[in-house]
């Protein structure tokens, strides 16, 4: 029996050593079905003199094992705490997690630059509806039904008289109807045309239109405003050039080029060897348009200009396909 107790003690030590957890050790050696309890049960077979001696031995062994297990449990607890402290340690000197910060889309960025430049010159920003009456988009702008110039601005019709605006110029008309000169506005916004999408066309794009109406406004004012805009937008050395053109709503009309900011006008790949890049249409507001909007052309005059925001964005950021701007592939957009 003594040997049996010794054997139990040895196997308890080995079990404790080999890392069994305290709870399962307690069950294995001291539990109701444990090894020591089995010894106690076997004591019935002993003689009455031997029984108390053995009982004492068993109790001593129980105490020894209990102590060893308790020690083991204490060690386990300490270890767990140490690990917890280690794993939950906060090093306040470590740099924080990087939050990735987004930025404006190239179109929004370009539009904002335009807004800022014109606001700086005293313009206010006015917006108008994208679903527009034929009257505001065409008729009031001196483009009566069947006018051939409507062809270049074919758009999407909702009814015969309601369409998706093909230009931001209808905002001019609304502004003139709703306010008295002096008027000094820009109207950035989305426009639509029935053009299939390719590298330079999109059925939806953005324009920024400008309008100034007051007494004594001349083409000189138009030139001055556009020159300042071009310098702010494309760099201080930028020059502008007016080429005669035709728009039904302005007279005279011009297409406006800026000197190439890449080569300074010498001719390069960006300007296709021209030295100039066309960016906008402009002119003096046609007297018919003024009177259509209730402004007396004998008293007031004005100028207007309009440009495509995408066109400027493509040139500025050196992007060669318009469609890239609408695909919203973050890998592309992140570059700007
Ligand atoms: N609205 C014209 C276009 O879309 C541009 C323009 C605006 C031209 C104002 C002259 C004056 O082509």
């Amino acid at each position: 029996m003594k040997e049996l107790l010794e054997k139990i003690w040895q196997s308890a030590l080995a079990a404790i050593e080999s890392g069994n957890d305290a709870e399962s050790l307690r069950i294995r050696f001291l539990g109701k079905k444990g090894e020591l309890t089995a010894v106690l049960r076997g004591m019935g077979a002993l003689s009455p003199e031997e029984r108390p001696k053995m009982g004492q031995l068993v109790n001593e062994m129980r105490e020894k094992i209990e102590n060893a297990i308790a020690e083991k449990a204490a060690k386990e607890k300490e270890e767990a705490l140490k690990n917890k402290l280690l794993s939950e340690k906060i090093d306040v000197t470590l740099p924080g997690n990087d939050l990735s910060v987004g930025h404006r889309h190239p179109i929004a960025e370009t539009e904002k630059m335009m807004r800022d430049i014109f606001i700086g010159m005293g313009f206010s920003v006015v917006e108008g509806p994208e679903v527009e009456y034929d009257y505001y988009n065409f008729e009031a702008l001196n483009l009566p039904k069947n006018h051939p110039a409507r062809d270049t601005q074919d758009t999407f019709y909702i009814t015969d008289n309601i369409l998706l605006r093909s230009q931001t110029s209808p905002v001019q008309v609304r502004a003139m109807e709703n306010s008295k000169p002096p008027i000094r506005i820009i109207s950035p916004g989305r426009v639509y045309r029935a053009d299939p999408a390719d590298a330079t066309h999109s059925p939806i794009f953005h324009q920024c239109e400008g309008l100034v109406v007051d007494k004594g406004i001349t083409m000189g004012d138009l030139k001055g405003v556009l020159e300042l805009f071009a310098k702010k937008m494309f760099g201080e050395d930028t020059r502008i050039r007016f080429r005669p053109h035709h728009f039904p709503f302005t007279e005279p009309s011009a297409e406006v080029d800026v000197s190439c900011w890449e080569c300074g006008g010498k001719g390069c790949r960006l300007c296709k060897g021209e030295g100039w890049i066309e960016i906008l249409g402009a002119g003096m507001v046609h007297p018919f348009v003024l009177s259509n909007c209730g402004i007396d052309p004998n008293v007031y005059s004005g100028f207007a200009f309009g440009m495509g925001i995408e066109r400027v964005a493509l040139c500025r950021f050196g992007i060669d396909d318009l469609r890239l701007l609408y695909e919203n592939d973050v890998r592309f957009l992140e570059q700007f």
Side-chain angles (χ1 to χ4, degrees):
M1 211 141 217
K2 265 193 188 158
E3 293 93 79
L4 185 55
L5 281 180
E6 188 54 31
K7 236 170 90 190
I8 292 176
W9 172 237
Q10 288 308 329
S11 67
L13 279 183
I16 288 172
E17 197 62 33
S18 73
N20 289 316
D21 72 285
E23 193 44 37
S24 65
L25 288 171
R26 196 166 281 134
I27 293 168
R28 178 169 156 199
F29 293 99
L30 309 172
K32 266 196 193 136
K33 292 178 182 161
E35 296 184 22
L36 210 57
T37 318
V39 177
L40 278 175
R41 283 214 188 94
M43 278 181 28
L46 296 175
S47 66
E49 304 89 69
E50 273 180 315
R51 236 177 260 161
K53 273 199 232 150
M54 266 326 281
Q56 201 185 342
L57 280 179
V58 171
N59 279 338
E60 275 169 21
M61 183 53 67
R62 165 180 286 276
E63 212 167 298
K64 254 169 89 177
I65 295 179
E66 254 170 11
N67 288 341
I69 292 178
E71 208 174 289
K72 162 95 175 166
K75 247 194 227 149
E76 255 172 29
K77 226 169 127 184
E78 199 181 314
E79 194 76 5
L81 182 65
K82 214 159 80 191
N83 284 338
K84 196 168 170 210
L85 286 177
L86 268 180
S87 68
E88 290 177 3
K89 188 164 74 172
I90 296 172
D91 182 350
V92 291
T93 65
L94 284 176
N97 287 344
D98 250 354
L99 291 181
S100 66
V101 179
H103 61 74
R104 282 191 197 90
H105 188 281
I107 297 176
E109 177 65 29
T110 308
E111 186 196 304
K112 180 165 190 318
M113 283 175 78
M114 290 176 179
R115 282 180 189 242
D116 289 349
I117 294 169
F118 286 112
I119 288 171
M121 288 193 250
F123 284 71
S124 29
V125 179
V126 179
E127 288 180 358
E130 289 172 31
V131 180
E132 187 52 284
Y133 289 106
D134 181 282
Y135 175 78
Y136 286 104
N137 194 75
F138 288 130
E139 208 126 337
L141 289 162
N142 213 18
L143 278 143
K145 290 228 155 62
N146 302 321
H147 190 291
R150 283 193 178 208
D151 231 27
T152 58
Q153 298 209 8
D154 191 18
T155 180
F156 304 94
Y157 284 82
I158 287 148
T159 68
D160 277 354
N161 287 316
I162 299 174
L163 44 74
L164 299 183
R165 67 179 180 187
S166 64
Q167 46 185 349
T168 41
S169 307
V171 185
Q172 282 187 37
V173 179
R174 291 178 174 275
M176 288 191 278
E177 277 185 359
N178 295 330
S179 50
K180 297 253 149 304
I183 296 171
R184 213 185 290 149
I185 58 154
I186 57 160
S187 57
R190 198 177 287 141
V191 299
Y192 302 81
R193 289 193 193 173
D195 289 332
D198 64 24
T200 51
H201 294 87
S202 163
I204 304 177
F205 60 104
H206 300 77
Q207 286 189 335
C208 181
E209 182 113 358
L211 171 73
V212 171
V213 180
D214 202 353
K215 286 179 179 153
I217 296 291
T218 70
M219 200 110 177
D221 298 311
L222 171 61
K223 267 194 120 164
V225 164
L226 291 185
E227 191 168 333
L228 190 58
F229 166 74
K231 285 184 189 303
K232 295 251 186 248
M233 191 79 194
F234 301 105
E236 276 308 310
D237 299 330
T238 309
R239 287 158 292 130
I240 58 168
R241 163 176 100 165
F242 279 50
R243 281 180 291 104
H245 195 71
H246 171 261
F247 295 108
F249 31 87
T250 46
E251 182 59 36
S253 303
E255 275 189 328
V256 182
D257 302 336
V258 297
S259 57
C260 177
W261 51 89
E262 195 73 27
C263 63
K266 285 198 278 298
C268 68
R269 227 168 62 99
L270 180 68
C271 58
K272 299 191 181 75
E274 295 271 323
W276 297 93
I277 295 174
E278 185 215 318
I279 57 154
L280 39 75
M284 301 305 291
V285 182
H286 197 293
F288 286 180
V289 175
L290 289 176
S291 47
N292 281 346
C293 302
I295 291 174
D296 185 349
N298 296 313
V299 180
Y300 293 102
S301 57
F303 66 75
F305 57 87
M307 64 191 129
I309 297 178
E310 277 83 349
R311 198 175 151 63
V312 174
L314 290 187
C315 289
R316 271 199 59 88
F317 294 110
I319 301 166
D320 56 11
D321 193 323
L322 183 62
R323 287 165 292 196
L324 291 167
L325 288 176
Y326 304 116
E327 282 166 4
N328 284 339
D329 184 334
V330 183
R331 290 167 305 176
F332 167 76
L333 294 174
E334 266 172 357
Q335 303 171 61
F336 307 100

